[in-house]
């Protein structure tokens, strides 16, 4: 395992102990790299189209309107998208831009990019046999899952604040607790509004199985968003979530999370972590 891989694994925390797939040797110091459109074969574009068409069909009934609105502007049904093409629109909409990266990158690089409105997108696409599940984020997870909401002003602001909070959390030794906010909201967040219960998390919306599970199944625990509960809640990286947190609006997520979290870390310092499958009496249970 090369030193860089060990560093990424050690810092990202969320990854189990396996070598990363990307070729990190070609990335710059900030882990960005050129997206080589010639690197995608006809099979890769065909795989993108099948993944895209399957998820778009499901998103119509399972994703929040803000995600659908963002997706509509992207025009990426025909194959693996060219990030620079998307950037021309995205920069104009919310000042965000996509950068190609080899895969998961160390927290400090990740937070620094987000704090500067740069979203890291893994350039490679999964293999056929991984169509339903893969451990590391590929271009379909990062682009289809995360990019549509970067055109939504409140969510775009929230993602930049998260990057700034990440850098502050590193200085305070609180990255593990902060990373749960990203995990449970940016990756696996649900929203319940006049439309009903809908998904906005990228980890949900880029997965056929988890999109249906998160919205339709009676198995998971769904609770009202509570910042302290999220920061203390452990999570699973290799199965559907045991718990999903539900906001009523992105304003709620932004308002609750934009405050300086340092006092909250201190308040929670001696409160133990909560197991992923725990159901607490004070949980605001959301029924479907
Ligand atoms: N790197 N490329 C990439 N994408 C992520 O989503 C990502 C990452 N590194 C760290 C990370 N996410 C999370 O562990 C942070 O929220 C801490
Ligand atoms: Fe993600």
């Amino acid at each position: 395992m090369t030193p860089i891989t060990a560093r990424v694994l050690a810092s990202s925390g969320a990854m189990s102990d396996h070598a990363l797939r990307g070729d990190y040797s070609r990335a710059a110091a900030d882990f960005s790299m050129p997206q080589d459109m010639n690197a995608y074969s006809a099979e890769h574009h065909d795989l993108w189209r099948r993944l895209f068409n399957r998820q778009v069909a499901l998103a119509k009934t399972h994703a929040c309107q803000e995600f659908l609105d963002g997706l509509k502007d992207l025009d990426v049904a025909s194959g693996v998208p060219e990030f620079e093409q998307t950037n021309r629109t995205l920069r104009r909409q919310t000042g965000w831009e996509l950068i190609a990266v080899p895969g998961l990158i160390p927290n400090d690089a990740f937070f620094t990019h987000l704090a500067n409105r740069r979203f890291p997108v893994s350039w490679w696409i999964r293999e056929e046999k991984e169509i339903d599940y893969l451990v590391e984020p590929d271009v379909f997870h990062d682009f289809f899952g995360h990019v549509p909401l970067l055109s939504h002003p409140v969510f775009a602001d929230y993602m930049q604040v998260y990057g700034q909070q990440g850098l502050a959390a590193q200085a305070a030794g609180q990255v593990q607790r902060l990373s749960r906010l990203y995990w449970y909201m940016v990756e696996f967040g649900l929203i319940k509004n006049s439309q009903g219960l809908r998904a906005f998390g990228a980890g949900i919306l880029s997965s056929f199985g988890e999109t249906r599970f998160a919205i339709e199944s009676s198995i998971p625990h769904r609770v009202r968003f509570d910042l302290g509960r999220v920061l203390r809640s452990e999570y699973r990286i290799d199965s559907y979530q045991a718990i999903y947190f539900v906001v009523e609006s992105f304003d709620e997520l932004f308002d609750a999370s934009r405050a300086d979290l340092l006092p909250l870390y201190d308040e929670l310092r001696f409160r133990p972590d909560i197991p992923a499958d725990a159901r607490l009496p004070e949980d605001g249970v959301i029924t479907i």
Side-chain angles (χ1 to χ4, degrees):
M1 182 181 296
T2 62
I4 189 67
T5 308
R7 194 154 77 90
V8 175
L9 281 176
S11 71
S12 69
M15 298 309 300
S16 53
D17 182 18
H18 71 282
L20 294 169
R21 326 180 22 163
D23 174 4
Y24 288 76
S25 65
R26 291 174 45 232
D30 67 357
F31 293 89
S32 63
M33 58 190 288
Q35 182 191 18
D36 175 8
M37 291 308 288
N38 299 319
Y40 303 111
S41 67
E43 290 73 27
H44 287 144
H45 288 300
D46 177 63
L47 177 56
W48 169 278
R49 282 192 292 275
R50 282 183 284 122
L51 282 163
F52 181 87
N53 292 333
R54 193 172 68 167
Q55 281 314 105
V56 158
L58 201 49
K60 287 187 177 60
T61 48
H62 289 57
C64 64
Q65 191 56 46
E66 295 84 349
F67 177 91
L68 296 171
D69 295 343
L71 188 60
K72 204 168 45 267
D73 299 342
L74 290 174
D75 183 24
V76 291
S78 59
V80 180
E82 184 165 1
F83 303 168
E84 225 8 78
Q85 181 96 18
T86 303
N87 287 343
R88 279 195 279 280
T89 315
L90 200 52
R91 282 191 192 104
R92 193 167 18 84
Q93 288 174 313
T94 57
W96 274 86
E97 64 179 3
L98 312 182
I99 55 165
V101 293
L104 284 173
I105 64 176
N107 288 338
D108 54 311
F110 183 65
F111 293 139
T112 304
H113 283 308
L114 295 189
N116 291 281
R117 295 206 175 212
R118 291 188 299 264
F119 189 76
V121 178
S122 298
W123 69 268
W124 50 269
I125 190 164
R126 67 190 70 184
E127 301 190 6
E128 188 69 40
K129 65 179 186 297
E130 299 173 296
I131 192 162
D132 285 326
Y133 183 77
L134 81 166
V135 179
E136 281 180 64
D138 72 335
V139 65
F140 186 74
H141 165 80
D142 276 336
F143 194 104
F144 186 89
H146 286 283
V147 176
L149 280 175
L150 288 177
S151 63
H152 185 276
V154 174
F155 199 81
D157 288 352
Y158 169 69
M159 288 292 281
Q160 178 175 34
V161 164
Y162 178 81
Q164 293 160 347
Q165 290 176 332
L167 295 170
Q170 279 188 299
Q174 293 288 343
V175 170
Q176 187 187 40
R177 286 204 150 173
L178 178 72
S179 69
R180 292 157 179 179
L181 185 56
Y182 189 90
W183 185 270
Y184 276 118
M185 301 322 290
V186 177
E187 295 293 357
F188 293 98
L190 299 181
I191 186 166
K192 185 165 188 181
N193 52 25
S194 54
Q195 283 183 291
L197 186 70
R198 291 288 187 277
F200 67 88
I204 297 176
L205 290 174
S206 58
S207 158
F208 186 74
E210 191 140 12
T211 299
R212 302 207 51 192
F213 178 78
I215 299 295
E216 300 174 25
S217 170
S218 58
I219 295 171
H221 191 35
R222 295 178 186 87
V223 303
R224 286 209 40 64
F225 173 74
D226 172 300
L227 185 54
R229 174 79 160 87
V230 171
L231 293 180
R232 293 172 57 206
S233 296
E234 295 167 344
Y235 56 79
R236 298 172 176 165
I237 65 165
D238 50 10
S239 65
Y240 293 165
Q241 299 307 303
I243 183 170
Y244 295 99
F245 291 93
V246 187
V247 290
E248 289 180 347
S249 69
F250 292 129
D251 286 319
E252 179 191 355
L253 176 62
F254 182 76
D255 294 345
S257 315
R258 107 175 111 183
D260 171 11
L261 296 181
L262 296 181
L264 182 56
Y265 296 140
D266 285 343
E267 189 189 316
L268 299 175
R269 189 175 296 278
F270 300 110
R271 307 283 302 279
D273 281 347
I274 301 167
D277 58 358
R279 298 189 176 212
L280 305 183
E282 63 270 25
D283 283 343
V285 176
I286 302 279
T287 54
I288 53 172

